[in-house]
Amino acid sequence: VGSNLLMTLFTTLDAYWVGTRVGPAGLAAVSTGMFWVWLVLAFAEGLALGLTALAARRHGEGNPEEAARVAGGALVFTLATGVVVGLAGAFGVRALFAFMQTPPDVTALAGDYLRIYFIGLPFIYGYFCIDATFRAAGDTRTPLVLLASSVACTLVLDPVLILGLAGAPKLGIAGAAVALVATRGSVFVVGLWLLRRRGMLQLERERIPGAPPFAATVARVARRVLRIGLPTATTGMIFSFIYVALTRTTTRFGTPALAALGLGHRIESWLYMIGVGFGATAAAVVGQNLGARQVDRAERAGWITMGFAMVPATAMAIASLAIPETLALVFTNDPTVVEETASYLRINALSQLLLPAEIVLEGGLGGAGNTIPPMITSTVLSALRIPLAAWWATIWGPAGIWWAISVTAAGRGFAMMYLWRSGRWKLMSV
């Protein structure tokens, strides 16, 4: 959870500096650009989940050598994927924002940010793999230390590069992207070195008599990782694309509403990333216990982990109802943006109580290798946001969009509880 909150802090720092120094257009640019960031990161998260399920199961079976080979093959495949996606994104930035129909000033600023982010995507993808390898072995402290170090560097680099302090060039919104890519790339390199030193990641066949060629290992691992992780990745990518589609509806109400959509999503991302942290825990613990044939303990782990995540969810729901304006004022002083963001947070407050059920139990299902039913369920409910938002926006304005988000989020939480309780995931083999 701490590691995931630190990842959220990366983007929150960007929003703070851009929102308070560049203004509403800059804040809308970072926010709308972040929807595309979430889309490409969803694929990396799916690959990380597949790696977690495979490696955790091998650790549970008492076979760390095979877990290291799985991690090595997954890393090579993930880096190659990051290169392909990064290049495609960097060359397609203009088309991405043309689809969203964002205002010209927002498009120009967002393009500067997103192009640099895509160039550094292989390092960001690689770190997801590094983090998953540590987690699958039960080591969550090392990724926390790595990310804490990178966040400390970001605290310095963000204002220096955005504002041009200490003789550095004044890069504006592009400086936020440079700071993020530089610090995340650094922790990827350090994490890779640590894994190699500890023997937790195998990149060659030497010292392993009888092992197949490494290229064959990479292909084998890639197929298995995709089989487990691709449904979850697809769910996340569709979810992010739905926010892109919602942007087209929100744009009708001007830059303040567009900034509020991104800002409300960003504030909620703290709770979301707490859920992702507990979901990663559930994936590793469920995978290890199924590998050790402790099925009942794996089931209890899902419910208990969800219970832990309910504590911050309750606190967030109360804050969203009681002090939404205060939360918005952290990022902007524009009164119209603050008002719209407060409306978003109030409407979505109660649905936040069901977010742990959705994220944590989906992680547990992924750790068991059962990812198809959550993908179908979550995708259908998320897709309903597009027609509901278009319909309700004609009746209630931006509030109709916020209600569409809230109702479908609650539905996903109830659906994941049903899937976990059904117990069909206990029959999966990976």
Side-chain angles (χ1 to χ4, degrees), residues 43 46 50 54 78 82 98 100 152 167 169 194 201 205 211 259 307 323 349 385 408-409:
F43 192 74
L54 290 172
T78 301
M100 297 173 79
L194 288 174
L201 187 142
R205 63 175 300 192
I323 55 169
R385 289 181 172 180
T408 51

Side-chain angles (χ1 to χ4, degrees), residues 140-160:
T140 59
R141 292 179 177 84
T142 300
L144 177 61
V145 172
L146 291 173
L147 277 174
S149 302
S150 63
V151 168
C153 294
T154 304
L155 285 168
V156 177
L157 282 178
D158 254 353
V160 168

Side-chain angles (χ1 to χ4, degrees), residues 7-267:
M7 291 172 68
T8 306
L9 188 56
F10 271 112
T11 56
T12 301
L13 289 171
D14 293 346
Y16 169 77
W17 286 111
V18 172
T20 57
R21 298 299 189 273
V22 180
L27 184 59
V30 173
S31 299
T32 53
M34 195 54 57
F35 295 147
W36 290 112
V37 168
W38 281 107
L39 191 148
V40 297
L41 289 187
F43 192 74
E45 289 172 351
L47 297 180
L49 177 63
L51 169 57
T52 299
L54 290 172
R57 189 72 68 97
R58 304 293 85 80
H59 282 294
E61 294 167 351
N63 192 354
E65 293 82 7
E66 180 61 22
R69 287 193 288 273
V70 167
L75 176 62
V76 172
F77 176 68
T78 301
L79 288 174
T81 304
V83 171
V84 173
V85 176
L87 288 175
F91 285 109
V93 165
R94 288 190 177 183
L96 299 180
F97 287 98
F99 175 82
M100 297 173 79
Q101 299 179 351
T102 50
D105 56 342
V106 172
T107 299
L109 291 169
D112 293 340
Y113 179 90
L114 204 57
R115 192 172 290 105
I116 294 171
Y117 187 92
F118 277 128
I119 292 172
L121 197 64
F123 296 106
I124 297 169
Y125 266 36
Y127 184 75
F128 272 91
C129 193
I130 298 296
D131 180 69
T133 303
F134 280 118
R135 277 193 281 106
D139 180 4
T140 59
R141 292 179 177 84
T142 300
L144 177 61
V145 172
L146 291 173
L147 277 174
S149 302
S150 63
V151 168
C153 294
T154 304
L155 285 168
V156 177
L157 282 178
D158 254 353
V160 168
L161 296 178
I162 292 173
L163 305 176
L165 304 178
K170 185 177 180 180
L171 300 178
I173 192 172
V178 172
L180 190 151
V181 169
T183 53
R184 191 66 63 85
S186 298
V187 296
F188 162 71
V189 173
V190 175
L192 178 62
W193 176 76
L194 288 174
L195 286 176
R196 294 279 288 163
R197 183 180 180 184
R198 299 178 186 179
M200 297 170 64
L201 187 142
Q202 183 66 47
L203 291 174
E204 69 282 322
R205 63 175 300 192
E206 288 81 19
R207 304 190 304 274
I208 310 177
F214 185 63
T217 299
V218 172
R220 174 177 59 87
V221 170
R223 286 194 299 270
R224 297 168 71 189
V225 165
L226 286 173
R227 181 174 63 84
I228 297 170
L230 189 57
T232 298
T234 302
T235 302
M237 293 168 69
I238 293 174
F239 178 79
S240 299
F241 186 79
I242 287 168
Y243 264 94
V244 172
L246 288 177
T247 300
R248 292 168 62 96
T249 302
T250 310
T251 300
R252 292 160 37 194
F253 302 98
T255 298
L258 195 60
L261 174 65
L263 191 53
H265 186 264
R266 188 179 299 277
I267 293 171

